[in-house]
Amino acid sequence: MFRRPLRGIDQGEDVAAWLSKLIGEHSRLVAVPPEFDRVTDGHVPGTAGFADSSAVHILSDTTLDALNSRLGHALPMNRFRPNIVVTGWESPHTEDLVREIAVGDSVLAYTKLAICCPVTTVEQSRGERDGPEPLKILATYRTARQKGVAFGAKFSVVQEGTLSVGDEVNVETWGASEL
C-alpha cells in the first residue's frame, strides 16, 4: 500500500474457495495483523488497517442527491464506497461539518474530507470505467485545499463499538467546512 509492503494474515482455504467462487477468479482473503500500527493523518488521527486514509468514510444521501442533480443521471452510492450512509440530513455536505459523531455505541471523530479517487468513475457491478464522471462535475464545486475533489468525510474511531443499519446518528460536535 502506497509502495510500502504490508503483512496480512491469510484466512485459510475455505474462505479462499468461497471468495474465488464469488469473484470468479483465484482469490485470497487476508486480515490485518493485531500488531499493525499504521496511523493516519488528519485532525484526529487514527489507525486504518488496510484502508487508504481513515477507518470510516461517511456520506449522506442528500449529498449524493445533490451530485446526481448536477449530473442529470443517478449514480449509486456504491460508487463512493462509504462505510456509513446517513439519511435524514436536510442539507448536502452536512458530513463536512461534523467533528464528533456517535453511532450505535461507537464514537467517531473527524479526520479530513474524503478525497475521491478514480474508482468513483468505475461502474461497480461490471468493474469497468464509465467516463470522467463524477470527478469532472465534482471538480467544478468540490475542489479541496487538499489534493483532489472532496465527497464525504473521513473519521477515526475514538471509541470502538457496534453499529447497525438503522442506528441513530448523533452529532456531538460541529465545525467549519474545509472547502
Side-chain angles (χ1 to χ4, degrees):
M1 177 179 272
F2 303 115
R3 299 185 189 352
R4 178 179 158 205
L6 300 175
R7 206 175 124 248
I9 302 169
D10 191 298
Q11 298 301 290
E13 295 302 326
D14 291 343
V15 172
W18 173 84
L19 187 60
S20 296
K21 183 177 179 184
L22 180 73
I23 293 176
E25 61 183 70
H26 178 74
S27 302
R28 306 290 304 181
L29 183 66
V30 296
V32 177
E35 69 276 4
F36 192 74
D37 64 353
R38 184 175 67 90
V39 175
T40 60
D41 63 349
H43 289 274
V44 178
T47 59
F50 293 144
D52 65 351
S53 68
S54 293
V56 180
H57 177 201
I58 295 178
L59 187 60
S60 69
D61 60 351
T62 54
T63 296
L64 179 60
D65 291 346
L67 169 63
N68 283 336
S69 71
R70 290 174 184 249
L71 290 171
H73 65 283
L75 290 178
M77 188 65 77
N78 70 4
R79 280 281 183 105
F80 303 95
R81 303 167 330 279
N83 304 94
I84 297 173
V85 176
V86 179
T87 59
W89 281 344
E90 201 170 300
S91 301
H93 310 291
T94 298
E95 56 271 39
D96 293 5
L97 309 174
V98 174
R99 292 300 174 261
E100 188 172 276
I101 192 167
V103 183
D105 55 1
S106 62
V107 178
L108 309 172
Y110 178 82
T111 301
K112 57 188 163 187
L113 293 172
I115 301 303
C116 292
C117 72
V119 173
T120 60
T121 66
V122 174
E123 199 287 316
Q124 298 294 300
S125 66
R126 292 190 325 266
E128 297 174 359
R129 288 213 180 214
D130 194 27
E133 298 301 356
L135 296 179
K136 184 177 176 183
I137 289 293
L138 284 169
T140 66
Y141 74 106
R142 295 290 299 169
T143 300
R145 286 180 233 156
Q146 305 169 25
K147 182 181 177 184
V149 295
F151 200 66
K154 299 287 190 144
F155 290 78
S156 61
V157 178
V158 176
Q159 176 182 309
E160 292 183 14
T162 302
L163 52 104
S164 302
V165 172
D167 279 351
E168 188 173 333
V169 172
N170 298 299
V171 177
E172 306 290 331
T173 309
W174 296 94
S177 177
E178 294 187 322
L179 280 182

